Amino acid sequence: MYVCDWVHSFLTGQTVSLKMGTHTSAPCAVHNGMPQGSPLSPILSALYMASLLDMAMCWSHKDLMLYVDDGAIYAILATTQAAVTSALMGYEEVLCWLTANGLSADPGKTELITFKKKCTNTDLIGGQIWGGCYANPQAKCLNITTVTSVKYLGVYITHDLNWTKHVDTMVNHTRSSIRGLSVLSNSI
């Protein structure tokens, strides 16, 4: 009971201020969500999402991975089309769970990527998948297009599992950070 009271006090009565340059806004009340940057946020998120992960435990040939507010569903089946269909069915279940629990997924950040073993007979694994369709809880059919790369937890993954895009992105990020870096050195 003490833990529930403590979590309740942590999540209620929160305020936020915006700072731009030297100006700081007046505090505004936050009515939902968890404070960003708090070390407790990932722990409370994991507790809240535990039943979603529990639901996914009974899935067959697919699984759900979550880290705070990032998630991925992966499916492994004999054909690419079967894997895509299975992953989209799992996504529909996740969307229903999210809606029932006061959460939502951003369709603009939802991506589909397929990986397949190199095979001389493409009929055995299926051809190129250009996308799919899934129903959201409002029973609207939404299309999702297949992409050639995704960013998951800061790592760029390409459909052919070539790490060049990730390495190039990290090198460019590092170069731009170094360009803006000033160094003051003093020898004693």
Side-chain angles (χ1 to χ4, degrees):
M1 187 64 168
Y2 294 115
V3 172
C4 291
D5 290 340
W6 180 79
V7 169
H8 182 266
S9 71
F10 177 73
L11 296 176
T12 56
Q14 296 287 335
T15 60
V16 64
S17 295
L18 299 176
K19 183 174 183 176
M20 297 179 100
T22 59
H23 178 73
T24 303
S25 72
C28 299
V30 177
H31 299 291
N32 55 18
M34 286 185 252
Q36 293 292 311
S38 167
L40 286 176
S41 294
I43 296 165
L44 294 177
S45 177
L47 291 172
Y48 191 78
M49 303 294 269
S51 66
L52 174 59
L53 289 169
D54 197 39
M55 177 190 81
M57 292 280 289
C58 62
W59 287 354
S60 196
H61 304 291
K62 63 181 171 261
D63 205 352
L64 172 66
M65 297 181 296
L66 294 175
Y67 181 76
V68 188
D69 64 349
D70 280 338
I73 297 171
Y74 64 91
I76 302 169
L77 286 139
T79 67
T80 308
Q81 184 60 56
V84 167
T85 300
S86 180
L88 290 173
M89 287 172 54
Y91 186 54
E92 288 175 354
E93 286 183 57
V94 167
L95 289 174
C96 288
W97 186 95
L98 291 172
T99 299
N101 288 278
L103 301 172
S104 63
D106 183 352
K109 292 182 178 179
T110 303
E111 298 174 307
L112 173 66
I113 189 167
T114 60
F115 309 96
K116 52 187 163 194
K117 199 161 113 177
K118 289 192 192 287
C119 182
T120 55
N121 185 352
T122 57
D123 293 333
L124 294 177
I125 57 170
Q128 179 67 34
I129 302 296
W130 299 107
C133 181
Y134 64 91
N136 69 6
Q138 291 77 31
K140 286 174 50 180
C141 185
L142 299 175
N143 291 314
I144 183 169
T145 304
T146 303
V147 296
T148 57
S149 68
V150 296
K151 180 181 176 187
Y152 184 66
L153 300 179
V155 177
Y156 291 89
I157 305 168
T158 61
H159 72 288
D160 58 357
L161 298 177
N162 179 322
W163 300 106
T164 303
K165 179 175 178 119
H166 179 76
V167 171
D168 288 348
T169 302
M170 294 299 110
V171 166
N172 288 336
H173 178 72
T174 303
R175 283 184 181 145
S176 67
S177 296
I178 291 173
R179 278 189 207 115
L181 179 67
S182 296
V183 178
L184 177 60
S185 176
N186 188 359
S187 298
I188 299 180

